[in-house]
Amino acid sequence: MGMMEIRLQKVIADSGLASRRHAEDMIRSGRVTVNGQVVSEMGVKVDPETDHVKVDGHHLKPPAPKAYVLLHKPADVLTTLEGAAKEDRVMVQHFLRGVKQRVFPVGRLDYDTEGLLLLTNDGELAQRLLHPRYHIAKTYLTKIKGTLNTEEIRDLENGVRLEDGVTALAHVKKVRKAEQNSWIELTIFEGRTHQVKRMLEAVGHPVLKLKRIRFGPLSLGSLQAGEFRFLRDDEIHRLKAAAFGSPDASRTRRQRSIRAS
Ligand code: URA
């Protein structure tokens, strides 16, 4: 259509109206027009300078400046923003007072899981960070029933069989033992639904509490539950390097460091 051709769903996402995934749903359901024509198939490219894109009959706003927010999600809070009619449960957005841009969670934490949640309107980065190929490390501090023995640690690290297949290499660090229970850190490089809970269930030590403390180069630090901060420039740079660097190189590096530790 024009000179600067950009995918329609990206143009919608860049305007801050929706995540890229949600923008695709909008296109599919016939809510988007380009120069007055409904476009409902994927893959159409437009020139945001010259083509007139509308959603539900309204022009898009100019691209919003990028924002990167790190939230300490409290437990008993929903990550999902879309399909918002989820009873009266509190959603992560509630905690972002003062954030002017519409930011979207990068992945999800379970309702009862707390900890580091990244939110951004940078759809391209979000998509990369979620893609299994890039193996972004996520570390969870978890209180589990009982104590892991050597064999169970080895199984967790080398792969346990779950309904949806064997898990990839992971790393376990013992933190401390309580009376009946114990605390460990589990680092995984995938992001399947309820993965940490399912892995620990599979080795016979159900999760009692779950908190994400690291996501790629980002750390939760001393941020309290319900607090957020904007990422520093160096954190944004490192996050982009993790997401846009050569996937195979970074994977080999990480796997080596797991074996070495
Ligand atoms: N694994 C889980 O089981 N739950 C989460 O919220 C995140 C990882």
Side-chain angles (χ1 to χ4, degrees):
M1 286 168 174
M3 288 296 285
M4 257 293 289
E5 303 231 304
I6 302 176
R7 279 178 189 280
L8 187 52
Q9 59 265 45
K10 181 174 184 325
V11 173
I12 296 169
D14 286 349
S15 79
L17 188 65
S19 68
R20 228 192 258 204
R21 249 218 358 248
H22 191 205
E24 287 175 2
D25 293 340
M26 289 171 159
I27 295 168
R28 240 176 249 119
S29 51
R31 294 168 60 188
V32 179
T33 58
V34 179
N35 303 327
Q37 303 258 16
V38 173
V39 171
S40 56
E41 76 271 25
M42 244 14 83
V44 170
K45 290 185 172 180
V46 296
D47 181 349
E49 298 279 310
T50 57
D51 291 319
H52 296 285
V53 179
K54 289 185 180 180
V55 176
D56 297 331
H58 300 288
H59 273 294
L60 296 178
K61 296 206 181 81
K66 298 278 185 271
Y68 305 87
V69 174
L70 194 161
L71 170 70
H72 183 161
K73 173 196 173 297
D76 303 326
V77 169
L78 276 182
T79 302
T80 332
L81 299 174
E82 290 153 19
K86 289 272 201 303
E87 301 116 49
D88 304 326
R89 298 206 272 183
V90 180
M91 292 187 278
V92 289
Q93 248 172 350
H94 170 83
F95 297 94
L96 303 184
R97 221 158 278 140
V99 179
K100 293 201 185 69
Q101 291 91 335
R102 256 178 102 171
V103 291
F104 302 92
V106 179
R108 287 184 192 175
L109 290 176
D110 292 338
Y111 184 69
D112 57 356
T113 301
E114 66 167 306
L116 194 166
L117 185 67
L118 173 67
L119 298 105
T120 182
N121 56 358
D122 185 337
E124 209 161 356
L125 179 66
Q127 214 172 33
R128 283 291 189 113
L129 290 171
L130 291 175
H131 197 289
R133 183 169 11 124
Y134 292 91
H135 302 273
I136 301 298
K138 293 138 202 143
T139 300
Y140 295 85
L141 175 65
T142 170
K143 184 184 186 184
I144 58 170
K145 198 166 171 212
T147 314
L148 293 172
N149 65 31
T150 314
E151 197 175 313
E152 290 158 349
I153 291 175
R154 200 190 54 210
D155 287 349
L156 286 169
E157 294 195 327
N158 292 338
V160 291
R161 189 170 298 282
L162 302 178
E163 274 173 24
D164 50 357
V166 177
T167 57
L169 284 183
H171 182 57
V172 175
K173 185 176 149 194
K174 284 188 166 183
V175 176
R176 66 178 181 274
K177 197 177 156 357
E179 239 163 76
Q180 306 290 327
N181 307 314
S182 59
W183 290 84
I184 63 157
E185 281 180 23
L186 177 61
T187 301
I188 59 174
F189 300 87
E190 310 167 276
R192 308 191 207 168
T193 308
H194 310 312
Q195 183 166 347
V196 172
K197 291 176 185 167
R198 290 194 290 139
M199 286 174 77
L200 285 152
E201 183 80 45
V203 295
H205 298 277
V207 164
L208 305 173
K209 275 189 187 161
L210 189 55
K211 179 179 181 178
R212 180 155 69 191
I213 56 173
R214 284 192 288 279
F215 181 88
L218 308 177
S219 288
L220 189 58
S222 56
L223 212 57
Q224 298 299 299
E227 290 182 347
F228 76 88
R229 65 176 178 83
F230 289 95
L231 293 190
R232 301 183 308 264
D233 285 346
D234 66 293
E235 290 176 310
I236 298 169
H237 281 129
R238 279 188 287 153
L239 203 55
K240 287 184 176 171
F244 292 98
S246 154
D248 287 328
S250 64
R251 176 185 178 187
T252 314
R253 237 185 352 259
R254 284 202 196 97
Q255 291 186 342
R256 267 196 220 115
S257 71
I258 289 171
R259 292 210 180 91
S261 56

